[in-house]
Amino acid sequence: MKKKYLLLLLFFAGILTGFSQDITVKGKVSDPSGNALPGVNVLIKGTKNGSSTGGDGTYSIKAPKGAILEFSFIGFDTKDVKISGPSMNIVLNEGSQTLKEVTVTGSLGIKRSKSSLGYAEQTVAGKDIEQTQRPNFINSLQGRVAGLSVVSTSGAPGASAAVTLRGVGSLSGNNSPLYIVDGLPVSNQTLNQGLLISDQPNRNQDYTNRGADINPDDIESVTVLKGPEAAALYGIEAGNGAIIITTKKGKAGVGSVEFSSNTRIEQVYRFADTQTVYQRGTNGLNSTVNTQSFGERYAPGTKLYDNVSNFFETGIAHQNNLTFTGGTEALTYRLSVADLKQTGVVPTTAYDRLNITLNGSAKIGKKFKSDANFLYSKSTNIKASKGGGSFLNSLYLWPANDDARNYLQADGVTRRRITDLSVSTEIDNPYWEVFKNPAEDRTNRMVSNIGLVYDPASWLSITGRAGWDVTAQEGFRATHPQSNAGLSTGGFIENYVSNTTNTNTNIFAQARKSFGKFSTKLIVGNAINYNYQTVNSTSGSKFLEQDFLSINITDPTTQRSQQRIIRKKVIGFYGEATVDYDKILALTLTGRKDWTSTLPYGDNDFFYPSASLAFNFANIGSLRESDWLTVGKLRASYAQVGKDASAYDILSNFQPQLTTGAGFAYGVTGANADLKPEFKKSYEIGTELKFFKNRLGLDVAVYRQETEDQIIRNLRLSYGTGFVVQSFNFGTTRVEGLEATLTAIPIQTDNFDWNMMLNFTKTDSELLSLPSTLPEYYVSDTWLYSNVRAGARVGSPLTTLTGDNYLFNNAGQPLISGANGMPLENNNWPVIGDRNPDFVIGFQNTFNYKEFSLSFLLDIRKGGDVYNGTELLLYSNGLSTRTLDRETPRVLNGIVRDGLENSATPTQNNIQVTPYYQQDYYTTNFVDADFIEKDVNWLRCRDITLSYRLPSRFFAKSTFFRSIGINFTVTDAFMVTNYTGADPAVNGLNASTGGAGGAGMDYGVLSTPRGFNFNMKFGF
């Protein structure tokens, strides 16, 4: 009997044990395109036990065999799946209404239904930015957004990047968009060299734009609001649009750790062409007292050196990222640490960056929520010069029969010379330039953002947010006493410390109410922006010790110091009202009034409104459930935005004077107490269409922007006024354009899909008016070399170049000098080129096959002119390949200027010139317009990425690894272009210059290197 009870007991125990056996199920949850879905709720159906997916879409849960797992995520259909084994990958489909109800991060960081937006916006996923592994994330946006242009100022580490949205609208001011991180503005400032005591133009030194302080791995998404319609609530600084960055956040569920390591190798591969046929000399005769190559041919067997290839190194960058995420429904966190160490392709150059980012959120009871974000960045940038006198120009000019690597004499200290000329007339050796004339910047930055949301009622919320963006930047540049630029001063050193504090507060109330088919939303708020910057700089010359860099070893009588203090405050009150009828018609009205400290009291407040309308015809009647038309929207908007002056434009400043015994006198900049705000008016119409459940999409926008009463800085004055420059309300400009984005999923199966996106941008501008006494406006920084500068005239685009051109007779024939047969020049600064392209296309393709992904991005440009100043430098020094025909006699086609040039019988030129014996043909009788390369086209492969993620089944039994991913990316892989120089996508200045800047001006600028990136990412 006991045996029977024992057997029965064992039988039931076995059954209970069988039912209670749990297994660990792991897998990945993704959308139909293969994109990982973080934050998906994974619940054992019928219980409260569950988990959620991590940032990489993977999950792990213990559940009984045969149980049903419920996968749910906002915007996707819930899916129930019976456990079939320890590894299950899940694909969630978007809900039918979700396909229509996409949300985006808009103004004030508020999530908005895309169907209600009456203006254009575009979002780039953080993973697309992260995969490129570019240290400056801004460079990864080029080609991914219609209407957005990014031009890096150099191929060196830490180079700044200039960004414009919808072209250039301001003649002298800032054309960059506003940057927003998690709801509050942050600085993307590039240090202006004019603030230092040397007061130099922004040509020879570059300073990293502060947007590069952001770690690309911390970015969840970037939403680009393209015009003032989209950014009306952000006020003055958003007149050029806004770039809204949402950082990654913690997710409720099982905590996770992620580690990634990236190695990047860079190689510069595009250079200017130089001739190696003729050696140094003058008018066909060799000379050791000349640096120009107008001598005889090199003798057969002469050893020639490839100084350009020998000079450049392989750049290497290593970046490691460690991330911790986790939390509960009430509290989440994300902590990331990233360390980047990069050496450049130019000897001595380097860029190091440390990032620490902490995000947290908390639910406090039922009515309060809070979040806090903290970003710390520390960077060091060791730089080389650019532009005139740079290592690059010296490298191109160095004679091919001399090994540039031997730049020191036998004593290892003194500069080696290659001519019998005086030291001051000999060019610096490029190695001497980078090793003996150093420059370095060091930056510490802290950005903090604290938000609190109070929901007193289901229809009302009040949000308060405060942020501090504090940057401490210091650096120096030095010129060795033996360098050309240091001979007259006995050496020169300049130190600076720039401290910037930007404080932003924003508080707004948001009310939502529905009345039948009408839904309404009202926002009212207040924003305060306070910017405070101090720049302390010192300089000294006459080094007492040549090879020790310090201000303390300069002659005390040469030491100078200066402090600049820049303060600006803007207080704004704003409101927004939205009425939506049945998700068919949405009307949004905004208004904002600002008070600014930079305009005269009484004229320093101004109001500007905006209105937008969205008509979603795909939500009418039977179209609402249509299978072929997913989204159909027409939109229209109008906006005004005001813009104030720069700090202290309305007040004259004093400067200390040595001649008055420590007294003061006015500076060169005059005050204008009558300045008033400039206003931009913007009009936009567009449409958004999506078909076959988002398999095919088209977004088109047409816009026009007009700016009146532009505040133009640094207009020249008569010296009789006692000043040199002053700011005025002069000029009217217009910018108009067309943007289109085509998206498609041509192939979509269970294991394979192909996603493509094509962006098209066409932008035109025109200067409508200037004072009659001002025929041309130009930014002086852009006068880089010879007589070419970024100047604009009434009736011409804002992106034109002005300079010396041929002098023509009334019939349009070039005029020739009867004295020497050389061309005559028009020195009145006519328009000789336009840098604006005819159109730009960005073409992105992504192919996903199971766990593999291959993507590439092409950047295509048609038209637009480029000033090849480097070629002009080589030409006038006899090193351009254009000068190889110098021994061929020629007669220039044209009309002799002899008084008959405009008659019926002009004199045809017949004077023969042989440049081999008349080198002034190249050195002084060139025409600058010949070095404007017209209609430059390019097809550039911005990046190619191949990635592989190990299937989740590999980790079914692992208690340590959750995921492993591998990426290989090539950036700037190749370029096909008709440009004869090194790189047409250049900027001859740094990104701090206003107006049209130095884009399309190639002079002493290092081309963008090709980068090879290998990345591994581990999830734990």
Side-chain angles (χ1 to χ4, degrees), residues 99-120:
L99 296 173
K100 298 174 179 285
E101 297 173 6
V102 178
T103 60
V104 296
T105 302
S107 299
L108 307 179
I110 298 172
K111 295 287 186 181
R112 300 166 186 263
S113 171
K114 195 170 183 179
S115 64
S116 68
L117 301 182
Y119 47 79

Side-chain angles (χ1 to χ4, degrees), residues 123-142 144-145 214-224 243-246 248 264 844 855 857 943 945 969 971 1013:
T123 298
V124 179
K127 69 170 188 175
D128 291 336
I129 296 171
E130 178 185 348
Q131 283 181 349
T132 69
Q133 293 298 319
R134 296 180 187 268
N136 190 341
F137 86 92
I138 293 173
N139 291 321
S140 65
L141 298 179
Q142 176 62 30
R144 301 183 191 275
V145 179
I214 299 173
N215 177 21
D217 283 17
D218 289 334
I219 297 175
E220 180 71 30
S221 66
V222 174
T223 300
V224 180
I243 293 179
I244 298 180
I245 301 166
T246 302
K248 295 176 181 177
R264 177 180 176 90
Q844 183 177 8
S855 65
L857 174 64
D943 47 73
T945 298
T969 299
T971 57
N1013 303 272

Side-chain angles (χ1 to χ4, degrees), residues 23-28 56-62 85-89 257 851 948-966 1016-1020:
I23 65 170
T24 299
V25 183
K26 295 183 178 182
K28 178 182 176 182
D56 57 358
T58 60
Y59 71 94
S60 176
I61 187 171
K62 282 188 175 183
S87 176
M88 296 196 310
N89 290 332
V257 179
E851 306 299 333
Y948 174 71
R949 181 178 293 277
L950 268 69
S952 57
R953 66 176 180 272
F954 282 90
F955 313 105
K957 296 181 180 181
S958 173
T959 58
F960 187 66
F961 287 106
R962 297 180 62 180
S963 64
I964 297 178
I966 302 171
M1016 292 194 70
K1017 182 176 290 187
F1018 303 89
F1020 306 96

Side-chain angles (χ1 to χ4, degrees), residues 735-747:
V735 179
E736 54 192 13
L738 167 68
E739 299 164 354
T741 299
L742 175 68
T743 58
I745 307 177
I747 302 175

